[in-house]
Amino acid sequence: MNNVVAKILIVLQLVFSICFMCFAGAVYSFQKGWRDRAESAETRNGELNLNIEQMRSDKETQESSLNAEVLKERTRAEDALAKLENLRNDLVQSEQELANQDAEREKHLADLGIAQEEAEARGVESNALRQEVEALRDQLNTGIKRRRELDGQKLDLQSEIGELSEREEYLHTEIARLRDLLRLNEVDPDEVYVGTVPAAIQKVDGVVRQSRKNTSRTVELVEISVGTDDGINKKMKLIVYRGRSFICEIEVTDVYPDMAVGRVLEETRNGTIERGDHVTTKL
């Protein structure tokens, strides 16, 4: 019996020993885990303290920045308030100016109405003056036209007077020449002619169209611009002259309604015949 109890006690002691060893191992393991956790917690605590310091520094920096921003915004707000006050003053001044401008506009509108009435009156007067100006312009144009016509007539008359003067001088020269011819033929030009008076020769004027020699080149033939329609007949003698110069006499050999051909009387030649020389009946 005692042996059994002893064996049981031994077994119990062995079991308790094993349990104690297991408990001791568990305690050791649990203690080691808590130490590691404590060290880890301390490390994390240090890191947290560093983070807290960094956050505190960042917070101070942000507070400084925010204070600066607040100060800046406060300054901007004060400036904005000052600008707002200036704008209010400007608005009041602008409203006053607008009221003044409205009053001036009303005055200008009244003046404009008066000016429009005056402009309408001036328009009516201007239309009347325009019509009068148009009438005067028409009269002026008519006067200018009439003056040009008179100037043309004056030039024609001056040209005709010049030609007549040249003709008169030529006739005086021709009369002197004929008187000299009469004296050479022993005829007194101042002696009264007794007998039948020859028929008066009608005065005819023309121009030389061209001159040429005959086939044998012994006689010069002259084509003139007057013919039977102008009273030119065969054997009629004409005088050829240029300006105040006597050139020669021609005797009509062929005659047509609007032209004639004459032979130059060489004994009377005093120059060379050219196209455009004047031709007239012998007086």
Side-chain angles (χ1 to χ4, degrees), residues 63-226:
E63 286 179 352
S64 299
S65 177
L66 288 174
N67 290 330
E69 289 292 333
V70 168
L71 181 60
K72 182 177 180 181
E73 292 297 328
R74 184 175 297 155
T75 304
R76 288 179 60 186
E78 291 176 354
D79 294 338
L81 289 174
K83 289 181 180 180
L84 181 61
E85 187 65 25
N86 293 330
L87 289 175
R88 286 176 179 174
N89 295 329
D90 292 340
L91 179 60
V92 172
Q93 185 177 359
S94 298
E95 289 177 349
Q96 184 64 33
E97 291 179 355
L98 182 61
N100 295 332
Q101 290 178 359
D102 289 337
E104 291 180 359
R105 184 173 63 85
E106 293 296 332
K107 181 180 178 181
H108 288 324
L109 288 175
D111 294 339
L112 180 61
I114 297 173
Q116 286 178 347
E117 292 178 356
E118 292 180 354
E120 291 176 356
R122 294 291 183 275
V124 173
E125 184 179 356
S126 176
N127 290 330
L129 291 175
R130 189 179 295 110
Q131 292 176 359
E132 185 176 355
V133 169
E134 291 295 333
L136 292 175
R137 186 179 290 113
D138 293 338
Q139 293 179 4
L140 178 62
N141 292 332
T142 303
I144 292 173
K145 183 178 180 181
R146 179 58 180 167
R147 180 179 177 181
R148 289 177 179 173
E149 291 177 355
L150 293 175
D151 288 340
Q153 293 177 3
K154 180 181 177 181
L155 292 175
D156 294 338
L157 291 175
Q158 289 177 347
S159 176
E160 186 176 353
I161 291 171
E163 292 179 357
L164 290 174
S165 298
E166 293 176 357
R167 178 64 177 164
E168 181 182 6
E169 186 175 351
Y170 165 73
L171 290 176
H172 285 304
T173 305
E174 184 64 16
I175 289 171
R177 187 182 69 81
L178 293 176
R179 290 172 69 89
D180 291 338
L181 287 175
L182 289 174
R183 291 190 184 94
L184 289 174
N185 289 285
E186 298 180 353
V187 176
D188 186 1
D190 296 326
E191 183 180 357
V192 178
Y193 181 80
V194 180
T196 306
V197 178
I201 301 174
Q202 183 180 2
K203 185 176 182 300
V204 178
D205 293 320
V207 294
V208 175
R209 290 182 176 176
Q210 62 178 343
S211 64
R212 66 181 184 280
K213 294 286 187 179
N214 62 356
T215 306
S216 60
R217 302 189 65 79
T218 57
V219 177
E220 185 175 3
L221 301 177
V222 179
E223 180 182 331
I224 60 177
S225 63
V226 289

